[in-house]
């Protein structure tokens, strides 16, 4: 079942509405019933969080007219039509208009449950995709996704806001797993091209001939999309793994950039994962192309340079996974907090995401520790303090800040509840919150 999905049941016969509602409720669905299409239309918006099951023959507005109204408002809304025996032509017409499927009376309740499951899953994917698209077009939301307040992250956010307003091409580099593609989305979303096309091509995912067609064309007759350089016209073209371009494709890209002139009709954001000591993106690209792409440059910081952001990220991620898996988030000890802070994190944020999910799963089983997961990831890492020579005091303060922050968020800013759980007098709590820059207003909901 698609959790959280509603099912709107529309039928002028009360017994039919109730029987469908009761059966679906037994299957775990949240149902609501309407005696007429007119009543249902008042309640169903374009982002209705669920599906519709409607009779096709009703007084007033009939099911076909109702379906057309729904499709006009949201063509992706799954609508299952109930037809009478022998109304197959009408059912076929309903499918042509946009119905998800139909049930013929008398129908099998199990068949209805199967269709409901299929339709709600489809609806969930549609709504999730809409949320993602909105977030990817909202610069403010994207900046918020760059979690952390370390000096390195504050500089990154400032760079995104500054360079987003500029119009030159951009090179984003940094280690793998640091979030470079998210930075590219944010650059597009905070700039003047925010409402224009954003096209992303992973250069390392294609053979040379296929990559040439994907970026420059001509496309094969069976391809449904334009070449990326045409598709992104007026907007932003992101080229991931730019260092994998052959000399021939580098020359073609340079020609396109030169032909565009200044300001460029299409902004190019190049992303490089090349961070080896003996070879950089500058080494991999011809110099004239490199300097055109690197007119503006952002280097995304590795996780190990982000200090207390590591604890903040781990806490947020483990809470998200604990919600997904329906269990409590694992508790972090002072020693484990220190180990999280001093781990080398070669896989950066991507590695931290994986570790947070594994920590939640093993906590749900009641076994293992965060330290054991870290040792599995970094066998060379000792369970004592630091690879960077930081004093113990810094780790203790980082853990203390994380503990107060977590407790404040869990109790939604209730000072009394936090004082009680942490056994702190009010004055001490106030002093520590001031010391760590924590504001009660940020936790109120």
């Amino acid at each position: 079942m698609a959790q959280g999905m509603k099912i709107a049941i529309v039928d002028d016969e009360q017994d039919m509405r109730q029987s469908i509602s009761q059966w679906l409720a037994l299957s775990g669905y949240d149902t609501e019933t309407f005696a007429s299409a007119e009543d249902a239309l008042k309640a169903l918006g374009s982002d209705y969080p669920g599906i519709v099951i409607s009779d096709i023959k009703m007084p007033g507005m009939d099911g076909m007219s109702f379906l057309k109204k729904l499709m006009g408002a949201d063509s992706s809304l799954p609508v299952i039509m109930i037809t009478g025996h022998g109304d197959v032509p009408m059912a076929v017409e309903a499918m042509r208009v946009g119905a998800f499927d139909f049930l013929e009376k008398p129908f099998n309740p199990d068949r209805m449950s199967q269709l409901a499951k299929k339709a709600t899953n489809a609806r969930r994917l549609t709504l999730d995709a809409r949320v993602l698209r909105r977030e990817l077009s909202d610069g403010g939301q994207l900046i918020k996704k760059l979690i952390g307040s370390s000096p390195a992250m504050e500089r990154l956010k400032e760079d995104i806001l500054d360079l987003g307003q500029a119009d030159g091409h951009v090179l984003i580099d940094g280690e793998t797993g640091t979030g470079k593609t998210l930075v590219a989305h944010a650059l597009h979303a905070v700039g003047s091209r925010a409402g224009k096309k954003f096209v992303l091509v992973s250069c390392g995912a294609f053979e040379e001939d296929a990559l040439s067609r994907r970026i420059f064309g001509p496309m094969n007759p069976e391809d449904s999309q334009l070449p990326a350089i045409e598709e992104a016209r007026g907007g932003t073209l992101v080229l991931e793994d730019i260092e994998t371009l052959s000399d021939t494709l580098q020359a073609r890209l340079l020609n396109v950039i030169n032909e565009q002139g200044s300001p460029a009709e299409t902004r190019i954001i190049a992303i490089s994962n090349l961070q080896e000591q003996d070879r950089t993106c500058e080494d991999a690209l011809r110099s004239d192309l490199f300097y055109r792409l690197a007119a503006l440059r952002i280097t995304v910081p590795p996780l190990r340079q982000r200090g207390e952001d590591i604890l903040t990220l781990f806490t947020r991620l483990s809470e998200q996974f604990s919600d997904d898996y329906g269990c409590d988030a694992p508790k972090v000890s002072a020693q484990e907090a220190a180990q999280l802070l001093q781990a080398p994190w070669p896989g950066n944020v991507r590695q931290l995401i994986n570790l947070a999910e594994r920590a939640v799963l093993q906590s749900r089983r009641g076994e293992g520790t965060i330290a054991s997961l870290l040792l599995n990831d970094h066998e060379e890492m000792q369970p004592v303090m630091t690879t960077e020579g930081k004093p113990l005091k810094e780790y203790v303060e980082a853990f203390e800040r994380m503990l107060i922050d977590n407790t404040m968020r869990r109790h939604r800013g209730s000072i009394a509840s936090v004082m009680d759980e942490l056994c702190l007098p009010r004055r001490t709590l106030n002093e520590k919150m001031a010391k760590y820059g924590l504001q009660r207003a940020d936790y109120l909901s």
Side-chain angles (χ1 to χ4, degrees):
M1 192 195 90
Q3 290 187 349
M5 290 279 102
K6 290 184 176 182
I7 299 182
I9 300 157
V10 186
D11 199 306
D12 61 301
E13 296 181 18
Q14 184 177 2
D15 290 345
M16 181 63 75
R17 291 197 306 272
Q18 289 180 344
S19 63
I20 294 174
S21 177
Q22 288 169 1
W23 180 261
L24 291 173
L26 287 173
S27 299
Y29 289 100
D30 179 11
T31 64
E32 52 185 341
T33 61
F34 302 92
S36 70
E38 290 86 352
D39 289 343
L41 284 173
K42 295 174 185 176
L44 304 178
S46 60
D47 281 326
Y48 180 68
I51 68 168
V52 177
I53 297 177
S54 173
D55 195 5
I56 206 162
K57 288 188 175 178
M58 295 183 290
M61 183 184 293
D62 65 13
M64 286 299 295
S65 300
F66 178 47
L67 174 63
K68 290 174 182 176
K69 289 272 190 184
L70 292 175
M71 292 299 97
D74 185 349
S75 61
S76 298
L77 176 65
V79 181
I80 298 170
M81 305 300 294
I82 299 174
T83 68
H85 180 66
D87 284 337
V88 174
M90 193 175 291
V92 171
E93 173 64 11
M95 296 288 285
R96 188 192 66 78
V97 171
F100 185 83
D101 213 322
F102 67 93
L103 288 165
E104 189 179 0
K105 295 178 184 177
F107 53 81
N108 184 331
D110 289 327
R111 164 71 175 155
M112 180 179 62
S113 295
Q114 290 169 3
L115 272 182
K117 180 178 181 180
K118 185 178 177 183
T120 51
N121 284 336
R123 185 60 169 169
R124 168 75 71 191
L125 291 173
T126 297
L127 294 179
D128 286 349
R130 285 181 186 172
V131 170
L132 179 60
R133 281 198 299 272
R134 286 169 187 158
E135 287 180 350
L136 293 179
S137 64
D138 185 336
Q141 286 298 318
L142 282 168
I143 295 292
K144 287 178 184 177
K145 282 181 174 289
L146 296 166
I147 296 171
S149 55
S150 63
M153 285 305 289
E154 290 300 324
R155 281 196 301 273
L156 176 62
K157 293 172 187 177
E158 290 171 4
D159 286 345
I160 290 170
L161 291 171
D162 288 342
L163 271 60
Q165 298 302 312
D167 213 32
H169 305 305
V170 184
L171 174 67
I172 302 173
D173 59 8
E175 296 178 11
T176 184
T178 49
K180 296 184 291 295
T181 303
L182 177 61
V183 171
H185 276 289
L187 274 171
H188 175 78
V190 300
S192 59
R193 301 174 190 262
K196 306 290 180 59
K197 290 283 285 186
F198 178 95
V199 179
L200 187 147
V201 177
S202 178
C203 300
F206 295 86
E207 297 292 337
E208 182 172 358
D209 287 347
L211 181 59
S212 178
R213 289 195 304 273
R214 177 66 188 103
I215 297 176
F216 306 107
M219 304 297 283
N220 290 326
E222 65 271 15
D223 292 325
S224 59
Q225 58 190 161
L226 293 169
I229 206 75
E230 292 294 327
E231 189 182 355
R233 187 179 295 277
T236 301
L237 172 61
V238 179
L239 299 175
E240 285 187 325
D241 300 313
I242 189 71
E243 68 276 1
T244 64
L245 286 183
S246 67
D247 291 343
T248 301
L249 295 187
Q250 287 186 40
R252 291 192 68 180
L253 181 60
L254 181 62
N255 285 337
V256 168
I257 291 173
N258 289 334
E259 288 170 2
Q260 286 195 97
S262 181
E265 182 179 21
T266 301
R267 187 181 209 184
I268 296 173
I269 298 178
I271 296 178
S272 172
N273 284 305
L274 204 54
Q275 284 279 300
E276 302 169 9
Q277 288 186 349
D278 57 344
R279 192 164 182 263
T280 65
C281 182
E282 186 172 357
D283 299 323
L285 298 179
R286 51 187 290 169
S287 59
D288 44 6
L289 177 61
F290 174 80
Y291 289 115
R292 294 302 299 272
L293 293 175
L296 304 171
R297 190 170 183 176
I298 289 180
T299 298
V300 184
L303 187 59
R304 63 182 174 276
Q305 293 179 5
R306 293 176 53 186
E308 292 179 30
D309 289 353
I310 296 169
L311 299 182
T312 304
L313 275 164
F314 180 82
T315 300
R316 300 281 177 87
L317 291 165
S318 59
E319 287 178 350
Q320 288 172 13
F321 283 122
S322 65
D323 286 343
D324 291 343
Y325 290 112
C327 61
D328 293 331
K331 293 194 182 324
V332 181
S333 70
Q335 183 179 13
E336 287 171 331
Q339 289 172 324
L340 285 168
L341 286 167
Q342 63 93 47
W345 299 113
N348 292 291
V349 177
R350 195 173 300 147
Q351 181 185 359
L352 183 63
I353 292 170
N354 294 337
L355 183 130
E357 184 171 19
R358 284 154 52 208
V360 168
L361 288 171
Q362 73 172 13
S363 175
R364 185 174 66 167
R365 296 192 301 267
E367 60 185 45
T369 62
I370 295 167
S372 66
L373 292 174
L374 279 168
L375 289 171
N376 286 336
D377 277 359
H378 314 291
E379 293 182 2
E380 76 285 354
M381 193 182 81
Q382 300 300 314
V384 260
M385 296 300 167
T386 160
T387 58
E388 297 181 3
K390 292 182 181 178
L392 177 64
K393 178 174 178 289
E394 288 190 25
Y395 290 110
V396 171
E397 289 179 346
F399 174 72
E400 193 172 64
R401 184 187 187 283
M402 179 194 71
L403 196 61
I404 296 172
D405 177 50
N406 291 350
T407 311
M408 285 292 290
R409 280 194 296 112
R410 193 166 58 252
H411 291 295
R412 298 180 179 179
S414 170
I415 295 293
S417 299
V418 175
M419 289 166 52
D420 183 57
E421 181 171 331
L422 299 181
C423 300
L424 287 175
R426 186 180 189 104
R427 180 178 175 181
T428 303
L429 177 60
N430 288 342
E431 288 173 349
K432 290 185 181 295
M433 288 181 65
K435 176 181 177 181
Y436 300 130
L438 302 175
Q439 303 287 332
R440 178 173 178 265
D442 294 336
Y443 303 94
L444 300 176
S445 59

